[in-house]
Each structure stands twice: as C-alpha cells, then as structure tokens.
Amino acid sequence: ARVCISFFLYLKRKYYLCTLIISHLETHTDMNIENKIAESVINGLKALYGQEVPATQVQLQKTKKEFEGHLTLVVFPFLKLSKKKPEETAQEIGEYLLANDSSISAFNVIKGFLNLTIASSCWIELLNSIHAEKQYGIIPANENSPLVMIEYSSPNTNKPLHLGHVRNNLLGHALANIMMANGNKVVKTNIVNDRGIHICKSMLAWKKYGNGETPESSGKKGDHLVGDYYVSFDKHYKAELAELQAQGLSKEEAEAQSPLMNEAREMLIKWEAGDPEVRGLWEMMNEWVYAGFNETYKKLGVSFDKIYYESNTYLEGKDKVMEGLEKGFFYQKEDGSVWADLTGEGLDHKLLLRSDGTSVYMTQDIGTAKLRFADYPINKMIYVVGNEQNYHFQVLSILLDKLGFEWGKGLVHFSYGMVELPEGKMKSREGTVVDADDLVEEMVSTAKETSNELGKLDGCSEEEANNIARIVGMGALKYFILKVDARKNMTFNPKESIDFNGNTGPFIQYTYARIQSVLRKAAEANIVIPETLPLNVTLSEKEEGLIQMLSEFAGVVKQAGTDYSPSVIANYTYDLVKEYNQFYHDFSILREENEDLKVFRLVLSANISKIIKLGMELLGIDVPERM
C-alpha cells in the first residue's frame, strides 16, 4: 500500500509539472518569433535535403552585436544532411527562408552561422501581443500547480535584525515572487529561534539590571531593547571572567564557575521544565521582539504566510528522531545520545540528540519539517540560508528522505554569501553588526539628500518628497543586494547604491518615472494609445532590438525560477533600461512628425515601462510615477 501511495504521489507531481509546462507554452508560444522561424527551418531542411529534423536540433540565438541581424541559426548540425560546407549550407537555408517565410527580410552568412534579419511587421506584431497582455511573462498558478514552500529570515529573539538578515529577507521575498510568477503556489514561512541559552542571557540580564524597563518606558523598539540586554549580559559576563581569572583561575575554570552563566543555565532548565515565572518573562520579552521584527519587516516590504517557532518544533523533532531510532534509521550510544550514520552517503556520523536528551539544530529542523508536512501538501521545499550551512542542509536532505518526507531528497538549499559594508560607512549598534533599522533609516535619508541635490524633488510637497525618498532609498538597497549573484559574497556600499546613473535601483526607477511623464504629456495632448498598432511602420534597428528585448522577459522570468536567481531579473531590467535610455536620447517621441511612428514609440515606451514595473515588482521594489 505504501508503494502504491508513493507511486501515486510521484505521478501526481509529474502531472503538475506537465500542466505547468503546457500552461507556459500556451501562454507564450503565440508571441515567440523563434518558434515560428524554427518551424520554417524544419520545413526548409525537408524541402532542401529531404529529411525531417527534430526541433531540438534547431539552435537559434540572439545575433551578436557586431553582426547584422536579429537571430542566428547554427548550421553545423545540418552538415550531414546537406553534405556541403557550412557556408554553402547556410546560404541555401537563408535563400529558402527569404523566399518562403515573410518574417525574414534579409540574411547574411558568417562561416557556419546564418544571421537572420526579421521584418519590421513581425516585430510590430510581437509588440502588439506583448501590449495585449498586462502581465506578460507571468504565469498564474492554478488548482493543479505545485506547492513550493520557502523559508527565510530565521531570526533569534535575543537581538534585532541585522544586515545579514536584510540580504536573507530580500532574497527570500524575491524568490517567492519569482516562483509564483512561474506558475507555482507559494507558501512563505519563517522559523523563529525563540529558545535556548542565548535567549535566557537576555532574559537574565533584564531581570538583574533592567529595573522594569519596557519599550514604552524607554522609547526603544522591543527587539532593540532586548538586544541591548543581550549585550549587557556579555559585558557583565566578561567582567566576571576577568575578575575570576585575576583570582588565579584559568579561563576554562572561570567559565565553569561563572555565577552569571550558571544562573543563565538554571533559567534554561526552568524554562524547559515549564516554570511559570520564567515562561512569563520569556513570553513578555518575546512579544516585545516580535513587535519590533514586524516593524522592520514592514519597512523591508517582506511578509510571511506562516511563522513557526523553535519552542514548538524541537519536541516534535525529538519524537521524530526517536521514531527513526525505533525503525533502525539511527543508532544510540552507551551515553544515551542518538546519532545517524551517514558514512554510506560519503559523510560522517551526525549527532541528533545529546546524551541528556536535549536537541540540536538538526533536530529542530526535522521537527519543523514534520509540522510543515502536516500543514501543507508540499511539492518542493526551499531553505534560504547562508552558505556556512551548506553541510547542514546536505545532511538534512538525507535525514528527511530517510524519515519518509516526500520532498526531503529534493529540498533546495538556496545558499547565499556574506554581505558586509565598507569600513566606516555606517554605524553599527554593537560595533560588529549593522542594524537593519539603522540601515533602512540611512538609506532613506541619503536618498532624500541625493534627490534634493539633483533637483529630483523640485515641485514636490513634503509628503511626496518623503514618499519618493522612501521608494528610492529602499529601491537602492534592494536592487544593490539583489543584482549580485546570491552565491557570491558582496560588499554593500550605501552611497554607491543611490546613484542615478549606472546599474542601480534609482537609475531604473528614474527611467520608469521618465516614461510615465512622456505618457502623461501624450494624454494631455489627446494622443490615444491604440490596442493594436498597424504593421506598415518602418522601424529602426534600435526599435526592433527593444522589442526583441521585451519579448525575452518571459524567458528571463523562467530562467530566474529554474536557477533560483533574482539577479537574472535585476540585470535584465538594467540592460533593458540602458537600451531604452539610448533610444530616448537618439529618437524623438512626442516631437516625431510621422503620426504612426509617434504612436508606435509611445506604445513601445508604455510596454518598456510595463516590463520595468513587472521586473522590479518581482524583486519587491516599488517604482515611482513621478520623480
């Protein structure tokens, strides 16, 4: 029965995948010039050489900038059919296409490559298709879509969110948007580390030194207040160690005899025993932290569908590990500790429960997986966690698979690198960690200052100026972080990110606002943008290239989802904006005398702005209508 159920679930997942692929093809095939030309090539090969070839052999790629043309056909796979040299084969195929496919207006041959020039009417027809679809490139989910769960943020309740959390949250939120845009149902989850000795340290310090201080009495955000007491504990603990060592104790002896640390350990034991006073203090201080976290999440524009807490999951994990022990998946040592032998998978032995029965992080993750699997019919699980945990998730995948979790073997660890700031660029609350709230405040302040200096806020009311500064500041922060390949370490430079030129969020936002200004002026001049453009307008190479770039957006969204890579969207959007700005500089729009060409350029501009907005939305970035 178990085998039958597993096979049924396997078939069900395959059906979901097929449905998704078919949906993508139905949505975008009708506006794909490459597909039409590939079909013509297949017909041409049959007519010229008497044989049919599979579509997979027809390799079309974007023509390199140094050559004339839009698309390049690689002819080497067809030399066995033609029994001729690459240049002759390319010439024959080019002549056939020119005579039999009206979308081809010209061709040229460079060795074994056939460069094809697409007729202007074909590009306009493609633009009409893009213009008709408000959410071009986005595939909506349906009832049969796979369910992807994404975990990100994962904070501790003993300190506020910091710069590392900012990168984590922005990556996780953008990835959720991208997976949804690829036709998946998505559940965004967070696991909060709300128990353990580090939490007790903050609690004990507040109890000893806090004098009843609260977020209301201090005027501090709750997470900052609790974080201050975590620092306070460390300060008193280090002073205590120094005093004990001055009395002749070694460092190890001082750490073992520290009254403060022993009090913290006693508090943890009481917490695990359910002591009402300790639990009451824990709940009160955690509520302060959650209120602070929520403020920061709101500023960052991120959210969650479900939040799990380690205080609820670690016991579930212990139960699951004991179940695995009973089934022979794990083994127990003489001291009572429970281990997994992973040498068969090329790894080592992994501790799952300590000898005193307490859990480790792996146990917590197993417990959380158990609860998640009970809550949702997950098809894929993605963990957004730094690359220092690569080994952890390699092990977790194996353990979850052993324990029977469907998605365990195929779980995805979205591994990202460290993020730092240039030394001295920004204050940090503790000297080593850059606080997320400080970072956001600094970004918005810098955005307002820079925008004022450049005259971007001239004529704006104070409310409008503040709103634009917020949009630009947060856009600069998010884009600068998301444009970098997540796997790489990066240095975040606040000043450099708020530059209205170059590969930055403000540059893209300003271009969007510029296009909106053009469209408003067109509306004021009573120029109506039609639903469909006539096909008889002669286009420049730059205009054709922009339409070609627009059409690539659907493929970029798909690639970003397949590769789990928000940077693909970010850098595509920048390239599109850069090309449009060159066009805007070299061509008239509203002053164009040819009415058909003027309207075409307005439609082109409107769709450029649409794709900019869609791309930035996937990254979680707002774009201002005025700037």
Side-chain angles (χ1 to χ4, degrees), residues 150 152 167-178 180 188 300-304 384 478 617-621:
I150 302 176
Y152 56 99
R167 190 178 197 191
N168 181 295
N169 279 280
L170 297 184
L171 286 168
H173 186 71
L175 186 61
N177 292 339
I178 290 166
M180 281 189 279
K188 300 175 288 184
L300 292 173
V302 303
S303 60
F304 308 94
V384 181
K478 293 179 180 183
E617 282 176 350
L618 291 178
L619 301 177
I621 300 173

Side-chain angles (χ1 to χ4, degrees), residues 515-529 589-590 598 602:
I515 296 173
Q516 297 315 297
S517 176
V518 170
L519 296 175
R520 282 193 298 272
K521 288 175 182 176
E524 289 165 6
N526 296 318
I527 301 174
V528 178
I529 294 181
I589 299 178
L590 294 176
K598 180 192 295 183
L602 285 169

Side-chain angles (χ1 to χ4, degrees), residues 194 199 203 271 278-286 311:
D194 64 341
I199 309 299
M203 292 163 57
W271 181 92
V278 172
R279 285 289 179 126
L281 175 60
W282 172 74
E283 288 172 3
M284 179 182 73
M285 293 183 71
N286 273 354
S311 54

Side-chain angles (χ1 to χ4, degrees), residues 358-399:
T358 56
S359 61
V360 294
Y361 275 113
M362 191 65 70
T363 324
Q364 169 214 292
D365 278 339
I366 291 171
T368 308
K370 177 184 174 183
L371 292 178
R372 285 170 171 162
F373 195 72
D375 290 341
Y376 300 96
I378 303 168
N379 295 98
K380 184 175 285 293
M381 181 74 212
I382 302 174
Y383 293 87
V384 181
V385 183
N387 56 18
E388 71 276 6
Q389 296 294 326
N390 287 351
Y391 176 76
H392 175 90
F393 284 99
Q394 187 181 1
V395 171
L396 180 63
S397 176
I398 295 169
L399 295 179

Side-chain angles (χ1 to χ4, degrees), residues 49 75-76 79 82-93 109-114:
Y49 309 122
V75 301
F76 294 107
L79 299 185
S82 69
K83 297 180 174 59
K84 296 177 182 177
K85 293 179 180 179
E87 292 85 348
E88 293 178 64
T89 305
Q91 184 69 29
E92 287 181 349
I93 296 172
V109 175
I110 306 291
K111 297 184 178 178
F113 299 93
L114 173 61

